[in-house]
Amino acid sequence: MKKSYFLFTALTILMSLSTAISSQSPLLNFLTCFSHNSHASNVIYTPNNTSFLTILNKKMFHKKFQTPTTPKPLAIIAAKDASHVQATIKCAKSNNIQIRIRSGGHDYEGYSYVSDVPFVILDMFNINSVDINLQEETAWVDSGATLGKIYYNIAKKSSSLAFPGGSCFSVGAGGYFSGGGYGNMMRKYGLSVDNIIDAIIVNVNGNILDRKSMGEDLFWAIRGGGGASFGVILSWKLKLVHVPPQITVFNVTRNVDGGATDVVYKWQLIAPKLHKDLFIRAQPTVVQIGNGTKNVVQVIFFGQFLGTTESLLLLISESFPELGLKKSDCFSMPWINSTLFAYSRPIGTPLEALLEEPQAGYSKGQSDYVKKPIPIDALESIWKKMIEGQTLFMQWNPYGGRMEEILSSQTPFPHRAGNLFKIQYFNNWTDGSPKSIESHVNFSRSFYKFMTPYVSNSPREAFLNYRDADIGANHPSNTTKFDIAKTYGIKYFKGNFERLVSVKTKVDPENFFRYEQSIPIRTY
Ligand SMILES: Cc1cc2nc3c(=O)[nH]c(=O)nc-3n(C[C@H](O)[C@H](O)[C@H](O)COP(=O)(O)OP(=O)(O)OC[C@H]3O[C@@H](n4cnc5c(N)ncnc54)[C@H](O)[C@@H]3O)c2cc1C
Ligand SMILES: *[C@@H]1O[C@H](CO)[C@@H](O)[C@H](O)[C@H]1NC(C)=O
Ligand SMILES: *[C@@H]1O[C@H](CO)[C@@H](O)[C@H](O)[C@H]1NC(C)=O
Ligand SMILES: *[C@@H]1O[C@H](CO)[C@@H](O)[C@H](O)[C@H]1NC(C)=O
Ligand SMILES: *[C@@H]1O[C@H](CO)[C@@H](O)[C@H](O)[C@H]1NC(C)=O
Ligand SMILES: *[C@@H]1O[C@H](CO)[C@@H](O)[C@H](O)[C@H]1NC(C)=O
Ligand SMILES: *[C@@H]1O[C@H](CO)[C@@H](O)[C@H](O)[C@H]1NC(C)=O
Ligand SMILES: *[C@@H]1O[C@H](CO)[C@@H](O)[C@H](O)[C@H]1NC(C)=O
Ligand SMILES: *[C@@H]1O[C@H](CO)[C@@H](O)[C@H](O)[C@H]1NC(C)=O
């Protein structure tokens, strides 16, 4: 009895020891391999380093993942140059460890830094130069650069050049560009990726390739198909665009009680057909009135016009008088100032605010595409549903203009002609308790379901940069991995999914670059 107990205990200890060793050893092997392939010792953080959590949280836009129970990486490699990227790929591959590539860390589902499998983070924030070439009107920007840094550096060199990028300054070039990337100038210049002319990528074999050496298929895939399925993008070459030295912006709110629903209805018909220089976003939002005793919906109309206030007012009075825009609503300013205005910064904010680190918060985002105007009575029911949730608002971004001139197959981003606007749902809140997170996420899901009759179907299209784990979820248990991938793949990429699969199968046949919503290799 005693003897067998001893044996049992010894066996248990031995077994747990060997588990400890075997779960530790891939990391130790990785570290040894890395040190043989790179001279840098100070770019790797493991849980033993005191600054591990600081680095992990540095680029973590979503607070819901900053919990003790969120699975942690085995290590974080804060690469400083291409050789660290190459060593990470080589050593992760040889030790069967997955990698998650992170640039700005804004992924809505945390796919650049959270996973249930053993993984290391390849963190790109140190690789962040921005080089402007005025003669060529181009810029080389590294993946770890933020949009704000790109805008800031362009403006330091020129007041008539710009880049059609998104509104959040702290978003990273790595994820933002490889997911398509849109902003307030898309009706004039298309997406960011429509203005990218070269890129540098490290592939699965550790080779450093540019557009010419990677070939047009791979260059096509990384401009909207998501980078992390194909390799690690080091930098991008942007073709800068022309803007007048002064542009005009406005931000007016209309209350539903004061006829905003009619204005929104008209907006759906008009905004996608307006002059290309004019972008007017409608943002239905719940606000409290009567000292917090009543919730109502207010619609914020944000506008950006690449011209003077006078010509804007003329355009609006001809094509959208219902908006009731006044001269006093309009502000004339250089494009660079408008990037601050568009992100709700007060006029007069110093340009250095573009370089700020992000403010993490609790949120869930989703997206939809609208191809037919939503009827008035449906708009009213949508406002009612929003009021139930209180914290969810929408950004309705008008398409048309340049967006409908570009073929759906030109880049992996397929949502071009035929769309009136894209909806971004954004539910954000401050209480971080598990119950609060669950109930807000529940509300987002029920709102998404509620919107079904008014948005695209077969497939219900979605924007990759507004990553949503839900759209690939809830399959019968016998569904193959490929078919699960196809579910989200068709929604994000429509007919371009098959070409993405072909490129993926060619450049990464062993599927090393995989993650929770990556492009699968062809299995048939
Ligand atoms: C507040 C806010 C505002 C936003 N506004 C806009 C907007 O106006 N327009 C718009 O288009 N989008 C917008 N987005 C969405 C944003 O573009 C995406 O979340 C984008 O993926 C973020 O890129 P990142 O580098 O910051 O994120 P990360 O989380 O670092 O990366 C996102 C994805 O890209 C992969 N990736 C990152 N870097 C690389 C690389 N170097 N090589 C290969 N793969 C890489 C990651 O592995 C991950 O799969 C916004 C997001 C937020 C939170
Ligand atoms: C982490 O700790 C190891 C071991 O002490 C050390 O060699 C390495 O330089 C540390 N990493 C960083 C980024 O400081
Ligand atoms: C972390 O420290 C422990 C205790 O000193 C050690 O056993 C382990 O090997 C270290 N891990 C790494 C990755 O350095
Ligand atoms: C709101 O509260 C303030 C101070 O308590 C009060 O003076 C005011 O009348 C209230 N307004 C409304 C609309 O109830
Ligand atoms: C516009 O006005 C609204 C309401 O006054 C405000 O919440 C928002 O931050 C402003 N800016 C933008 C770009 O929406
Ligand atoms: C634009 O920003 C610059 C730098 O902060 C500032 O000097 C200038 O006054 C701003 N112009 C306008 C019209 O807001
Ligand atoms: C939610 O996001 C909006 C727009 O970015 C912001 O104005 C608001 O303060 C945020 N709310 C919370 C609770 O974080
Ligand atoms: C969220 O929804 C699930 C499934 O419908 C339900 O079981 C759960 O109780 C809900 N949670 C909260 C906090 O509302
Ligand atoms: C999966 O199972 C469902 C029923 O549970 C069945 O109807 C379906 O045909 C199965 N699909 C495959 C591919 O086997």
Side-chain angles (χ1 to χ4, degrees), residues 32 112 132 164 177 218 223 228 237 284 323 337 361 426 434 476 497 524:
T32 311
S112 54
I132 313 289
F177 289 142
L218 181 53
R223 282 173 303 146
K237 189 178 188 183
L323 183 60
N337 299 51
F426 200 72
F497 176 68
Y524 52 89

Side-chain angles (χ1 to χ4, degrees), residues 269-389:
L269 310 176
I270 294 167
K273 297 208 169 72
L274 286 168
H275 192 282
K276 279 183 187 176
D277 286 341
L278 179 54
F279 172 90
I280 303 179
R281 164 196 293 150
Q283 181 170 320
T285 307
V286 181
V287 291
Q288 291 192 330
I289 56 169
N291 287 346
T293 56
K294 196 177 171 208
N295 288 309
V296 295
V297 167
Q298 203 171 61
V299 184
I300 303 165
F301 292 92
F302 163 81
Q304 177 181 288
F305 178 63
L306 301 173
T308 63
T309 302
E310 287 65 35
S311 36
L312 169 65
L313 289 169
L314 200 66
L315 251 177
I316 294 275
S317 71
E318 281 167 2
S319 46
F320 194 14
E322 296 83 354
L323 183 60
L325 192 70
K326 297 192 299 287
K327 187 163 189 216
S328 57
D329 297 324
C330 301
F331 303 95
S332 173
M333 59 182 68
W335 166 75
I336 192 66
N337 299 51
S338 83
T339 62
L340 288 163
F341 184 89
Y343 206 50
S344 302
R345 296 303 168 92
I347 289 174
T349 303
L351 300 185
E352 283 63 33
L354 290 165
L355 306 174
E356 282 170 10
E357 287 290 332
Q359 290 286 316
Y362 296 97
S363 60
K364 172 153 178 85
Q366 298 147 307
S367 60
D368 258 320
Y369 284 88
V370 177
K371 295 171 196 286
K372 293 187 308 246
I374 302 175
I376 296 259
D377 58 339
L379 290 173
E380 278 161 357
S381 70
I382 292 170
W383 309 154
K384 256 201 199 137
K385 180 79 182 166
M386 284 178 80
I387 289 171
E388 275 174 35

Side-chain angles (χ1 to χ4, degrees), residues 50-332:
T50 47
S51 39
F52 179 74
L53 277 184
T54 314
I55 294 295
L56 180 62
N57 292 343
K58 180 179 163 70
K59 293 280 180 182
M60 195 185 281
F61 190 80
H62 300 287
K63 258 191 177 163
K64 61 187 171 197
F65 301 116
Q66 287 182 12
T67 71
T69 52
T70 307
K72 303 285 183 289
L74 300 171
I76 302 166
I77 299 89
K80 291 189 172 151
D81 61 40
S83 76
H84 305 149
V85 173
Q86 291 170 303
T88 303
I89 293 173
K90 180 172 183 181
C91 300
K93 206 168 56 171
S94 61
N95 289 292
N96 270 318
I97 299 174
Q98 290 193 24
I99 67 169
R100 293 294 178 270
I101 311 159
R102 178 164 73 173
S103 287
H106 283 58
D107 193 283
Y108 281 6
E109 299 290 356
Y111 286 170
S112 54
Y113 54 83
V114 185
S115 179
D116 288 331
V117 302
F119 70 106
V120 296
I121 296 178
L122 176 54
D123 224 335
M124 303 292 286
F125 64 85
N126 282 321
I127 302 182
N128 62 24
S129 331
V130 174
D131 286 315
I132 313 289
N133 184 330
L134 268 188
Q135 253 96 55
E136 265 193 11
E137 302 187 344
T138 58
W140 269 108
V141 306
D142 289 342
S143 277
T146 59
L147 284 185
K149 181 170 179 179
I150 296 170
Y151 298 162
Y152 185 84
N153 279 269
I154 294 172
K156 270 208 304 211
K157 289 267 171 81
S158 164
S159 57
S160 59
L161 291 175
F163 192 71
S167 54
C168 176
F169 327 132
S170 51
V171 158
Y176 170 82
F177 289 142
S178 62
Y182 82 95
N184 305 334
M185 287 198 284
M186 73 174 152
R187 302 192 66 256
K188 171 88 169 187
Y189 291 115
L191 302 176
S192 295
V193 288
D194 299 328
N195 300 278
I196 289 184
I197 53 176
D198 205 339
I200 309 283
I201 189 171
V202 185
N203 75 0
V204 70
N205 300 318
N207 300 324
I208 300 177
L209 309 171
D210 67 0
R211 176 175 184 169
K212 200 157 170 234
S213 50
M214 80 178 83
E216 287 303 305
D217 270 347
L218 181 53
F219 184 62
W220 173 85
I222 57 173
R223 282 173 303 146
S229 296
F230 302 98
V232 181
I233 296 137
L234 295 176
S235 27
W236 309 85
K237 189 178 188 183
L238 318 181
K239 179 80 193 122
L240 303 179
V241 302
H242 289 258
V243 287
Q246 298 277 317
I247 70 169
T248 308
V249 287
F250 63 83
N251 183 36
V252 295
T253 61
R254 300 286 179 255
N255 295 317
V256 163
D257 293 348
T261 308
D262 290 336
V263 184
V264 171
Y265 182 76
K266 269 284 157 57
W267 173 91
Q268 301 179 90
L269 310 176
I270 294 167
K273 297 208 169 72
L274 286 168
H275 192 282
K276 279 183 187 176
D277 286 341
L278 179 54
F279 172 90
I280 303 179
R281 164 196 293 150
Q283 181 170 320
T285 307
V286 181
V287 291
Q288 291 192 330
I289 56 169
N291 287 346
T293 56
K294 196 177 171 208
N295 288 309
V296 295
V297 167
Q298 203 171 61
V299 184
I300 303 165
F301 292 92
F302 163 81
Q304 177 181 288
F305 178 63
L306 301 173
T308 63
T309 302
E310 287 65 35
S311 36
L312 169 65
L313 289 169
L314 200 66
L315 251 177
I316 294 275
S317 71
E318 281 167 2
S319 46
F320 194 14
E322 296 83 354
L323 183 60
L325 192 70
K326 297 192 299 287
K327 187 163 189 216
S328 57
D329 297 324
C330 301
F331 303 95
S332 173

